[in-house]
Every structure is written in C-alpha cells, then in structure tokens.
Amino acid sequence: MNHLAKEASPYLLQHKDNPVDWHPWGQAALELAAKENKPILLSIGYSACHWCHVMAHESFEDPATAEVMNRLFINIKLDREERPDLDKIYQTAHQLLTQRGGGWPLTVIMTPGENLPFFAGTYFPKEAQHGMPAFTDLLMKLAQHYETHQGELRQQGGALVNALESIQPQAPETGTALSNAPINGIREQLAANFDKDWGGFGTAPKFPHPANLERLLRHWRASAHSSEPDVDALFMTALTLSRMQNGGVFDQVGGGFYRYSVDQQWQIPHFEKMLYDNGPLLALTAQLWQASGDDAFRRVAGATADWVLRDMRAPEGGFYATLDADSDGGEGRFYLWTPDELASLLDPYEYTAVEHLYGLREPANFEDRWHLTNRLSLDELMEHAGFTKSKLQSLLDSAQQKMLQARDQRERPGRDQKILTSWNALMIRGLAIASGALDSPKLAAAAANTVDFIRQHLIVNNQLHACHINGKVSFNAYLDDYAFLLDALLELLQHRWDDEHLKLAIWLANELLERFEDTENGGLFYTANDHEKLLYRPKSFSDDSMPSGNGVAALALNRLGHLLVEPQYLHAAERILLAGWASMQEFPHGHATLITALDEHLNPAEVIVIRGDEAEDWCHSIQQVYSPSRLCFAIPANASLPESLSAKAAHEQTVAYICRGSQCSDPVNSLQELAAAISGN
C-alpha cells in the first residue's frame, strides 16, 4: 500500500494498491519533495473517468512505470471533485503551458518547494502512439530537464504564476454602466454556433451546455408577448433536448443523462453519469415541458427524477456524486444489449415494438452490441409495428420495466458515494423546479430532505463544508457550495416554504459576501479568505461543466434582495456584474449564467408573496405557466419572518402582494384578480 490507504475519496482509494508511491495532497508530500529536491508529479482525476482508468491500468499498475515514477518524482494523486480549487488552478496552468484545453486525467510536473508547474498534459499512453510519447520516456526527459535547468524552470514557473494572476478579471472602470448588450450578444453567438440538424453547439465531442439552453428558453419567454416572439430560440432549445433524449446521451432504460456525446449526433456517450449534469438537465426538461406542452419532455424529466431517487440517493439523505463509465471490464457494458437478450426477455409484442424503436435489425453501434437510441418517433413506430399509440406506449412501458429489472442483475458501475454540497445543490434546484412543473410533491420533499441533510451534517462549527463521505465531512466549502445552495433554496422555497430554509439562505448570503468577496476588484473568489494558500486565488465568471459560481451568486443575491427588500444584497449582485462586465462583453457565449443574472438585474423578477390558507393553491396555479422571471412564495400565516417580509401581512382571507423591483402592489384579494394582474408577464 502507498499513502492513499487512509483517504476517504473513492478515487484515491482506487489507487491505494498501485506500486506507485502515491501521496495525497498536503504539507507532508510537498515538504518531502523540497527535502529530496525531486520534482512533483501531480495526477488529477475522478472515480467515474474512463481515461483515468485507462492510464491507471496501463501505467500506474505497471511495476516498471512505477519504478521510474518513484525514483524520479514525488507523486501526488488528487480527486478533482474534492479539490476543485486545485483543479481549476492547474487546468488553467495547463491551458497557458499548452495553449489548448485540458481534461482528465490531468498530469502536471512541478518544481519542489515552490510547487511551480513547468509541464502539463492529460492522458499519456504507456507506449508511444498517435503522436504521443511513451509515458516513461516523457518522465525521464522531464526529470533530466529539471536536473539541468532548475533555475530556469523556477523562473519560468514564476512567470506562469504572474500570467495566472494577470488573467484574473480586473476592477471595472469608474462609471461603468450595465446594459443589455451581452444579452443580445449571447443570443447572436448561440445562433451562429448552433447545429441546425442535430441540435447543440459545435461538433464532436458534444456537451449539453444546459446554461446556454436555459438562456435561449428565457429569450423566447421574454419575447412571447411581443409582436415578434423569438420562436427560433425555443426551437434551438427543443431540438437540442429532443436529439439528446432520443439519442444515446440519455439512458433509454433507466433514465438520467450521461456526461457527453463522442459524436455530433448524440448517439454514443462517454458512459459516466454525473449528478452535476442531471440536476440542471432535470430542471431544463421540466421547464421545456411547461413551455412547449410536448409530453416527451415531461416523460424524460420524470425518468431523470426517478433515476436520481432510485440510484443516487443516500439512505441518510443527500445524493451520491457519480456512476462510473466502466463495469464488467469495459466502458458502458452495464448499458449494452444484444437482440437475442431482448428477445428472450420480452414477449413477442414487446420485442416487436422495441426492435423497431431501437433499430435492432441495423448493425450494432458499440463494440458489437447495441447502445439503445430511439430511431423512430412514436408516430413512425405506429406505422412500422402496427399498434395503436396507446397500445404501443403500454408495450414500451412494460418492456422498459423488464429491461430495467434484468439490467439491475448485471455487474453495476462503480458509484462514488461522496455527497458534495455544490452538486447536491444543483439537484435540489432541479427537483424543486420539476416538482412544480410535474405536479409532484414527492420531488419537493426529496429536495427539502437533502437541504436538511446538508444543514445537519455539512455545517459544522458554523462552517459549511464541501464533502461528506462515510460519516465524515471534509474541505471547507468553496464559492459554488455557497452560491448553488443559496440559489437552490430560493427555488425550493417557492414550492415548499420552511422558515429554517429561509434563515439558511440569509446565512449563506452573508457568509458569501464576508468570506469570498474581492473588495478591491469586485466579484467573488473561488476560495474563502481563510483557505489554504495556493499558487493564486482563482476568480472566474465563465461557465464550464457547471454554471459560474459568480453568475449564480449574482442571480441569487439579486432575488434574495428583492424578496427581503434588502439593498445590501442588491448592491452586492451589482458589484459582481460590474466585475464581470468586461468578460461578458468580450465573450458572451461563455457567460450564460452571469448574463441571466444581468438580465434579472436590468429587468427585476416579479416577486409574488401570498399569505393565507389558500396560498399554496394560488401559487401552484400560477406556477403552471413557464415564467422564469416570476417568483411565487406561499408563506403560512404563522411563519417567523424577517421584518421586511412580515410587512406583507396575512389577512383573514388569502391575499397576494405583487412586487416588481422596489414597487409592491396593495393586497390582491382573489386568484382571478391575481391572474389578471400578471397575465401580461
């Protein structure tokens, strides 16, 4: 065993028996490197990562490779899901060193003592191939280069740190005024990069980008009552989700979305399933069901929620992080079928429907097996299979249940049972939005249960933590943990009021500003002011695989400020937007979340507070229409509220208060009057 045996991370434990003398990140390993004057080999990955497994099997389990690594380097293995702060720093360093994007596994070579990166790459093969050097050959050259060029490499590393700090967004110019220019800019850029045939943006590999799709859906909704509604924005969102959910990035049997598609047509995914993808995609499919009325989106949202509650929910509360891409010795094996398997499992009528739907008469599409994708629409399937639509749906539902039960008997993919605050917050938000759209109180209950788990287990000594596993919490929370949870609470409060959840939201907002705000240049750092000192303190406004923490914080602070009539939160949101203004202008396409926050700053959300016995029914009624810039809170008469909110008092009969910006209406005394007052919004 190496030094990983006592770690909690499932990813690190996957490597505890490697012949590589792995260390976890920490002072002990860093000081050892300085003492022995050996360069550091930092390897970053995560447990569900297919190419991380490939490199592990080829190199890290190989004694000859391990001998080279142990002789020449101090080797540190890092779980990027536990330490997104370090991952952000070294992914950015990789981009500066190589002038291209990174990924996982990430391989970084650093000087001892100062921990300055001087080489970075991703996957390297054991033997030279496809223009890539053999891993051991590369390592020996890098070690030799360090031995003979130490001073030069430290100087180069110092210049890299200066470059990392220089690309941080600078303070906005005095007098900067926010406008809707980035809102128009992102609409144009998304259209220019849209795949009109297959949906999504760009070519292979193709990622879902839910923040961009939600942005388009908001564009359509904002124009819906105008003389020229933006139907193209609705089309782009609907086509993308339709192609995804009919293709291979959606699990046709068990529900839930895989990470991304390796091809342009959404047919073959990398098979890992990530909680952080499925929370936003659950929200988006539920919203699209409301916007379009297309029942296919309702079914996919329901199937995604069923999957997360069935396969990802921890018994004590909260949701696990990931499902591995690999099982039974290969990628995607858990999800693949043969026609013979299905013919023996299903009755003849079920098999006929499935055979036509999934194209089982056509050639296998993944390693001599069939990864199921919908080849026909329901109407086309009716013609081919010869059944009525209701009979066909019944056959498909019964076949799906049999397939799910049979699949559950297979060797299951590994599940990373970390409960991550930020990822759980994205799922809380998704469940809350879906609970209203799908009229499913159980989803709101599941979301509330997860909030309570975080309150009870991840806040210790008045400090929010990022990770819970095996009964232990670790790592002080990052920006995303605070921002995503605040945003999720404001969604959940609209479907299930809880005084304690509002108190938690206020605490999160205050902690966010006290611990993360850059008081000199504006915006929020990714790490708190008492965090471990690293190469630099990252601050970003752009979306990546998850929404921007600054963008979500600006949106949530603005909403909380309007709900509580609290100027400090409104001003804080504006400061974030001003700090990110240059980034939004320069590259709107990469800042969808921040631009949505800008949109709600310039056009404040309509906040409806309803008090009384019928408050929940009134809220539920107006929430049936997709309206992302409308917030509705059904607050019980006996709620314990901050003074500004309690001023919207309960009466003997149910009443509603409609607030737009700083202006609130007199009490509205009937649901009909309320509906009339908001009908144009």
Side-chain angles (χ1 to χ4, degrees):
M1 283 188 181
N2 50 45
H3 302 274
L4 302 181
K6 295 182 180 179
E7 294 299 304
S9 159
Y11 175 64
L12 299 186
L13 291 174
Q14 287 175 356
H15 295 271
K16 68 181 176 60
D17 296 318
N18 291 169
V20 177
D21 187 25
W22 290 117
H23 297 258
W25 178 275
Q27 281 302 114
L30 300 175
E31 289 173 1
L32 180 63
K35 178 182 177 182
E36 298 191 4
N37 193 28
K38 283 185 178 180
I40 297 165
L41 189 160
L42 175 64
S43 177
I44 304 177
Y46 59 100
S47 66
C49 167
H50 172 70
W51 285 103
C52 299
H53 298 325
V54 172
M55 192 166 179
H57 296 323
E58 289 180 348
S59 296
F60 304 149
E61 296 172 8
D62 175 57
T65 304
E67 188 279 327
V68 174
M69 294 174 67
N70 296 338
R71 175 163 46 88
L72 300 176
F73 297 89
I74 298 300
N75 302 290
I76 297 178
K77 178 59 79 171
L78 190 77
D79 183 343
R80 68 106 173 176
E81 295 168 358
E82 288 186 332
R83 295 300 305 265
D85 55 335
L86 289 165
D87 185 54
K88 284 179 181 293
I89 288 171
Y90 291 111
Q91 292 285 355
T92 307
H94 172 277
Q95 191 164 1
L96 289 175
L97 287 167
T98 67
Q99 298 300 301
R100 60 179 182 273
W104 301 277
L106 183 68
T107 306
V108 183
I109 311 298
M110 305 189 294
T111 63
E114 305 87 352
N115 312 324
L116 300 170
F118 63 87
F119 175 86
T122 52
Y123 162 80
F124 291 101
K126 182 181 177 183
E127 306 293 341
Q129 57 180 288
H130 307 305
M132 291 187 288
F135 189 47
T136 50
D137 291 345
L138 176 67
L139 294 182
M140 287 188 284
K141 289 178 181 177
L142 288 168
Q144 178 63 33
H145 190 65
Y146 172 74
E147 188 67 27
T148 56
H149 296 80
Q150 294 186 30
E152 179 185 327
L153 290 176
R154 286 186 167 88
Q155 187 176 5
Q156 174 189 311
L160 178 67
V161 172
N162 291 336
L164 288 168
E165 292 176 342
S166 71
I167 62 175
Q168 295 270 69
Q170 301 302 303
E173 295 181 8
T174 303
T176 296
L178 300 170
S179 75
N180 63 3
I183 301 173
N184 299 327
I186 191 172
R187 174 65 182 82
E188 294 173 5
Q189 286 191 350
L190 291 175
N193 201 33
F194 183 69
D195 182 342
K196 296 180 176 62
D197 296 317
W198 294 100
F201 307 97
T203 57
K206 191 172 275 187
F207 291 82
H209 296 299
N212 286 344
L213 295 172
E214 184 177 342
R215 183 67 237 151
L216 286 172
L217 201 56
R218 281 173 167 265
H219 275 284
W220 166 76
R221 184 60 182 84
S223 68
H225 292 288
S226 71
S227 58
E228 297 183 4
D230 190 354
V231 292
D232 283 345
L234 178 61
F235 168 77
M236 285 188 274
T237 310
L239 178 66
T240 302
L241 264 295
S242 294
R243 294 297 197 195
M244 286 174 58
Q245 65 197 33
N246 286 319
V249 292
F250 182 71
D251 181 352
Q252 303 297 334
V253 173
F257 290 87
Y258 305 106
R259 174 81 273 264
Y260 66 94
S261 174
V262 302
D263 57 84
Q264 187 174 352
Q265 295 79 28
W266 304 105
Q267 295 301 294
I268 302 299
H270 263 317
F271 285 89
E272 61 262 39
K273 285 185 178 179
M274 319 295 286
L275 191 70
Y276 69 75
D277 288 317
N278 281 279
L281 288 170
L282 170 59
L284 185 62
T285 49
Q287 290 169 326
L288 195 51
W289 146 245
Q290 283 188 306
S292 68
D294 186 336
D295 194 59
F297 299 122
R298 181 190 63 79
R299 293 177 67 86
V300 167
T304 302
D306 289 345
W307 165 73
V308 77
L309 294 177
R310 182 185 67 243
D311 289 354
M312 302 300 284
R313 198 176 190 184
E316 66 272 28
F319 295 100
Y320 299 132
T322 65
L323 289 182
D324 207 322
D326 295 7
S327 62
D328 195 24
E331 185 183 6
R333 293 283 176 83
F334 182 71
Y335 303 102
L336 305 177
W337 300 88
T338 67
D340 288 345
E341 278 183 284
L342 292 172
S344 65
L345 178 65
L346 307 176
D347 73 34
Y349 294 115
E350 292 168 340
Y351 182 76
T352 297
V354 165
E355 178 188 41
H356 287 290
L357 178 62
Y358 298 132
L360 300 181
R361 293 180 179 178
E362 299 175 28
N365 60 1
F366 191 81
E367 297 183 353
D368 299 322
R369 300 186 187 187
W370 278 254
H371 175 52
L372 303 182
T373 65
N374 290 347
R375 309 298 180 90
L376 301 172
S377 68
L378 210 56
D379 289 335
E380 291 169 331
L381 189 56
M382 286 169 56
E383 296 179 17
H384 283 76
F387 301 116
T388 65
K389 185 173 286 189
S390 60
K391 175 64 174 175
L392 194 56
Q393 193 62 67
S394 176
L395 290 170
L396 292 173
D397 289 344
S398 61
Q400 186 260 349
Q401 287 303 311
K402 291 179 181 179
M403 293 161 70
L404 183 60
Q405 291 171 10
R407 198 177 77 175
D408 283 345
Q409 305 308 308
R410 299 174 177 176
E411 180 183 322
R412 300 181 68 86
R415 184 171 61 188
D416 190 318
Q417 298 193 167
K418 293 195 299 290
I419 297 173
L420 299 169
T421 299
S422 59
W423 296 16
N424 271 257
L426 292 175
M427 184 53 69
I428 292 165
R429 175 182 178 271
L431 289 167
I433 289 171
S435 73
L438 305 182
D439 194 14
S440 178
K442 77 171 185 177
L443 301 185
N449 176 262
T450 305
V451 171
D452 291 336
F453 175 86
I454 292 172
R455 288 174 59 216
Q456 294 161 16
H457 297 282
L458 279 147
I459 300 176
V460 180
N461 296 327
N462 210 40
Q463 166 70 57
L464 181 65
H465 290 75
C467 180
H468 178 283
I469 187 167
N470 297 331
K472 297 180 180 179
V473 297
S474 53
F475 305 106
N476 289 346
Y478 309 103
L479 169 61
D480 289 355
D481 300 298
Y482 284 91
F484 294 1
L485 186 55
L486 173 58
D487 182 49
L489 286 165
L490 291 173
E491 289 291 353
L492 181 58
L493 284 166
Q494 296 180 69
H495 302 282
R496 186 184 174 104
W497 184 268
D498 186 315
D499 293 351
E500 294 304 314
H501 292 174
L502 177 63
K503 292 176 185 176
L504 176 58
I506 295 169
W507 178 78
L508 289 167
N510 293 337
E511 289 286 292
L512 200 60
L513 298 178
E514 181 180 339
R515 296 163 62 83
F516 292 86
E517 187 166 21
D518 181 348
T519 54
E520 292 185 14
N521 297 314
L524 305 171
F525 289 112
Y526 190 75
T527 54
N529 52 18
D530 58 353
H531 194 76
E532 170 190 353
K533 184 172 176 58
L534 302 173
L535 277 187
Y536 77 111
R537 199 175 172 195
K539 180 177 64 176
S540 172
F541 295 95
S542 62
D543 300 320
D544 46 37
S545 55
M546 293 196 294
S548 155
N550 267 286
V552 173
L555 179 71
L557 287 167
N558 191 63
R559 289 180 160 197
L560 184 65
H562 284 299
L563 174 64
L564 300 181
V565 196
E566 181 50 73
Q568 70 160 325
Y569 300 140
L570 298 174
H571 294 156
E574 185 176 25
R575 290 195 298 272
I576 295 170
L577 293 169
L578 286 168
W581 177 244
S583 301
M584 281 189 279
Q585 285 187 302
E586 183 178 358
F587 185 38
H589 185 272
H591 295 82
T593 303
L594 194 66
I595 288 172
T596 290
L598 171 68
D599 194 356
E600 286 206 6
H601 169 77
L602 297 173
N603 308 288
E606 184 177 63
V607 178
I608 301 171
V609 174
I610 306 178
R611 310 293 306 272
D613 294 340
E614 298 177 276
E616 288 187 8
D617 291 338
W618 284 25
C619 249
H620 180 69
S621 177
I622 65 174
Q623 286 168 342
Q624 297 313 294
V625 176
Y626 170 67
S627 186
S629 292
R630 175 182 298 140
L631 314 181
C632 185
F633 300 92
I635 304 179
N638 62 352
S640 175
L641 302 173
E643 182 178 351
S644 59
L645 194 52
S646 64
K648 299 176 177 61
H651 292 205
E652 290 186 8
Q653 62 181 15
T654 301
V655 295
Y657 301 85
I658 306 170
C659 301
R660 299 184 179 98
S662 59
Q663 302 297 315
C664 292
S665 70
D666 291 331
V668 176
N669 297 308
S670 72
L671 179 57
Q672 292 75 17
E673 186 182 350
L674 175 61
I678 66 174
S679 62
N681 298 290

